[in-house]
Amino acid sequence: MSRYRYAYRLLPLELCHGCRLCGLLGLLLLGLLTAGFAWGESTDSSSRTLIIQLDPTTRAIQGELRQHLSADASFHLLKGLTVTSAQRGDEALAITQDAEGRWHLAAGDDAAGSDLPVTLHWRGTLPDTGQRHRIDVAGTFLPTRSGWYPQLGDTAGPLSLSVEVPDGQLAVGSGSLIEEQYDKGNRYLARFYHPRTREVAIAAGPWQLRERTVEGVQLRTLFPEKLDKAFAETYLQRAAEQLARFQARLGPLPYTSFSIAASPAPVGLAFPGFTLLGERVIPLPFIPHTSLPHELMHAWWGAGVGVDYPSGNWAEALTTYLADHDLAEQQGEAEAMRRRWLADLAALPASQESALVAFRGDADPAGRLIGYQHGAMLFHMLRQRIGDAAFDLGLRSIANEWMHHNADWQVLIDAFSQATGETQDAFFTPWLTRPGRPSLHLESVQVKRQESGYRLSGILVQRGQHAPWPLNVPLVVDTDAGQINHRQPMDGLRQPFELSMTARPRALEVDPAADLLRHPGSTPPILRQLTLDPTTRVLALDEAHRALAQRVLGREAEAITPFDALRDEGPPLLVIGTTDTLLEWRQANHLPAPPEPLETAEAARFWMLPGQPIGLLSGNDTDALAQLAATLRHHGQQSYVVQDGGGQTVRVGVWPMKKKPLRVSFTANDFSSQPSTSQPPVSQPSTP
Ligand SMILES: [Zn+2]
């Protein structure tokens, strides 16, 4: 079972030694605590004890930090906070603040030889707005290293965290919940323990608590009253199901509790032992099936096994694959999900491509596509290459050996190499270090009759700036006697293949289930082509509508006027106008009508011109235009969107593509019995 889950319960806790709160409130230990706990100072020199009292109404905070310190240290505290004392045992330590506001702590005379931790007290009023923190009665979030506590040194170690808030508020923090105390009408106190971390984050809010114990884990929801009544049970139920599934696959959750807490901020964030979800997204019906499993999966990857950020963030890719894709797989929608990912990636302009290893967790849409989707496809290819058993074995060994330590990509590569008994470096390295993806093509496909059946042969060709990438290409042949599945390893630019079969082949398809990370061939034009390309320009046929472009693209864009000539190979263009003006403009520029008659449909519509990176946004009036512009960011994967006068989306879709680019059908005429009389090559080029 878990060497983590039980090991750290036996470590001595050190929270209430000398703590004023305990005298005040008394100890109401939960059943989770056993008689085996010793309350006292830890002997682990890397351990930290943090005791925080927080009042979101006044933004007042006071804290106590106990930590071993062998050398002088300096740290930053937010404006408004002051260190009130610094001691080691009875010895007062010198603490000063420099002109820039940074605090400097002298370690004291015999720091190196002392077993005693340093105790720091600080207090003050937190700024109401910070770059990263938020403190408010409606919701508080204090992220790690944001100046609300002294970050002394950077050594990972056990963290004992105690958070006290006024009655009416509840709090959650890094690690497993150890106990909580309610003092009705007065205070609420919760204690957390993390076996090994450098970071500490806390959140608080006007929350109701619901909880249930599932497979040894306390699952908790911390929602404001309205959300609690309406959604908490659903979240607990879904979390319970997902937890059971994840634990069966990966081994135990590395924390004894997991809290799903609401935040007024529009976030979806994972921390050790808890997740923060935006109050606005919690009611959305798909969130318990998408964001919730994703954030829970982060308990293993990112908030469990840590990310060595300078060497690249692998955790989003792995989490996306093991949560989002896994759920789609259960619902029979995995292939559709992969096709969407590949279409999104295909919409990336060359200037926005970067290597997966360069992804750190950036918020820009292009970086996220690569870090999440491109990365998840890499794990999908790996799993198909090495098989489910070796894949899961590798995952469990990473969780076992690296829990609460920071891992880099090489740790993952080594774990999968060990699980398969052969090195996986040659597979991983190109996908990690080279930007972009290959396009695949078929050449010289031919079928020959032979004495005992048929022989199908051809050449697989890879193209792309950094080709060749290592691929294991699925080839599927439909025959009179059913399907034949073959995997063709491909490490070079050209790979001949040859398949023998007894039944007559009807068709050959390459990668029919979108299992490969590649350019999917000709793709329908989608809105994301405009939003991802930083060179996209805007043409507002009425100057009053120019501001709408910012809502569609999510940024300012260069504007052109109706007098600027349209260039054939120009950058993408977003054109905005009222229904009639836009129709006139399109006709005057000899651009084709949309494939479906939607140009005057309903109240407002957006569509991409097939064949050109031009998106058209038209509406019967300014209100209809504004309504559609505000919702378009949810429709990046569509070629067209139509809205009615009430702002309801009534039609969306993707322009149909004529043929599958990597499928070849055979008729009787294609079969030759002699090599010398074989048909000319059947070639199905696909354009990247
Ligand atoms: Zn994530």
Side-chain angles (χ1 to χ4, degrees), residues 268-270 291 294-295 298 301 313 315-317 319-320 324 368 372:
L269 295 170
S291 300
H294 183 97
E295 303 307 339
H298 269 310
W301 321 114
N313 180 347
E316 291 302 350
T319 299
T320 301
D324 305 57
R368 283 174 67 94
Y372 289 63

